[in-house]
Amino acid sequence: MKILVADDDPQILRALRITLRARGYEVLVATDGAAALNQAIEHKPDLYLIDLGMPRLDGVEVIQGLRGWTSAPILVLSGRTGSADKVEALDAGADDYVTKPFGVDELLARIRALTRRGTGGPDAEPLVRIADLTVDLTATTVTREGADGGPPEPVRLTPTEWRILEVLVRNAGRLVTRQTLLQDIWGSEHVTDTGYLRLYLSQLRKKLEPDPAAPRFLLTEPGMGYRFDPAGGAVPGDPAGAAPGEPAGGAVPGDAIG
């Protein structure tokens, strides 16, 4: 089992490296937040031990970056004891929180508990290509290749457009039902408002598909939902994005379209 330990205290890093290796774990270390994300992308650890007070990127930013593409357990190790710090870390996506100083036996028990709990599915790749676009699940950005070899150009998505795209990309190749998307993004009171999805899928296709009228990547499964095809294969169903019987859609809450 591979564990990434991210902490800017060299003594803690050394102690954890020795302790965890003695228990048979493979240990990776990082001394700042940016290095932690780079290590995570390169090595895809099975579990993360993250300090909150790190340079370059703090622990909460690291957790948010990880949660864009991995469901591996995250255990926070921090000297911050306030409830607000704990809530912020847990809301960002951490699975557990241990305050410093901590006992080795307690730490190992927490690791075993998180390992038994499982991850809930395979990780997505942090960088996903769609034609000339790159979707970065860590940075929550979409960029288009620059003209004539120039720098990449950002593609502006609204927060709701990004959330829909993220769900589809993280479930690449699998059907995501309309009800699942509506509940995850707008809440259970909107599970029948399929017009929202028709409108947003149309907007996403205009921004991301080479030919929005004949989508290759963001596909409709008629009567069921949507599917992201990373290979850009054949298109099932209605290219306009509405499954048979979907309403045309009206006012949509929550976003200014741009």
Side-chain angles (χ1 to χ4, degrees), residues 63-238:
I63 294 167
Q64 291 169 337
L66 292 171
R67 280 295 174 248
W69 60 275
T70 180
S71 56
I74 298 174
L75 173 58
V76 172
L77 305 178
S78 177
R80 302 177 185 178
T81 59
S83 60
D85 293 307
K86 296 179 182 179
V87 169
E88 184 181 20
L90 294 169
D91 281 347
D95 296 283
D96 201 354
Y97 194 109
V98 175
T99 56
K100 300 175 182 177
F102 50 84
V104 171
D105 289 340
E106 178 189 1
L107 175 64
L108 294 173
R110 300 286 185 105
I111 290 173
R112 290 193 297 270
L114 289 174
T115 303
R116 287 194 299 270
R117 199 176 301 171
T119 64
D123 292 345
E125 287 297 325
L127 297 177
V128 179
R129 296 283 297 176
I130 303 177
D132 63 342
L133 302 171
T134 298
V135 180
D136 189 330
L137 293 172
T138 299
T140 65
T141 60
V142 179
T143 54
R144 176 173 278 109
E145 291 179 0
D148 301 322
E153 302 170 355
V155 177
R156 181 171 179 257
L157 301 183
T158 67
T160 300
E161 288 170 352
W162 170 261
R163 289 169 68 189
I164 293 172
L165 179 64
E166 180 182 19
V167 171
L168 293 174
V169 168
R170 291 191 65 177
N171 290 276
R174 297 193 291 269
L175 168 70
V176 181
T177 67
R178 290 172 291 175
Q179 289 74 20
T180 295
L181 283 166
L182 287 164
Q183 181 162 327
D184 286 353
I185 294 167
W186 285 285
S188 57
E189 66 273 21
H190 291 284
V191 293
T192 60
D193 297 333
T194 53
Y196 293 164
L197 289 181
R198 181 184 179 189
L199 176 60
Y200 275 106
L201 263 294
S202 175
Q203 292 169 184
L204 277 171
R205 285 167 173 154
K206 288 176 182 177
K207 294 181 178 183
L208 305 181
E209 291 277 1
D211 181 0
R216 296 165 45 204
F217 301 96
L218 303 174
L219 309 180
T220 299
E221 296 287 354
M224 295 183 291
Y226 300 94
R227 179 169 57 90
F228 170 63
D229 181 1
V235 183
D238 176 9

Side-chain angles (χ1 to χ4, degrees), residues 1 3-5 13-28 47 49 77 104 107-108 111:
M1 180 177 176
I3 298 178
L4 172 62
V5 183
L13 281 182
R14 180 176 181 274
L16 288 176
R17 185 192 298 116
I18 293 171
T19 298
L20 294 173
R21 285 180 176 171
R23 268 71 175 184
Y25 296 110
E26 180 181 350
V27 182
L28 306 168
L47 185 141
L49 304 181
L77 305 178
V104 171
L107 175 64
L108 294 173
I111 290 173

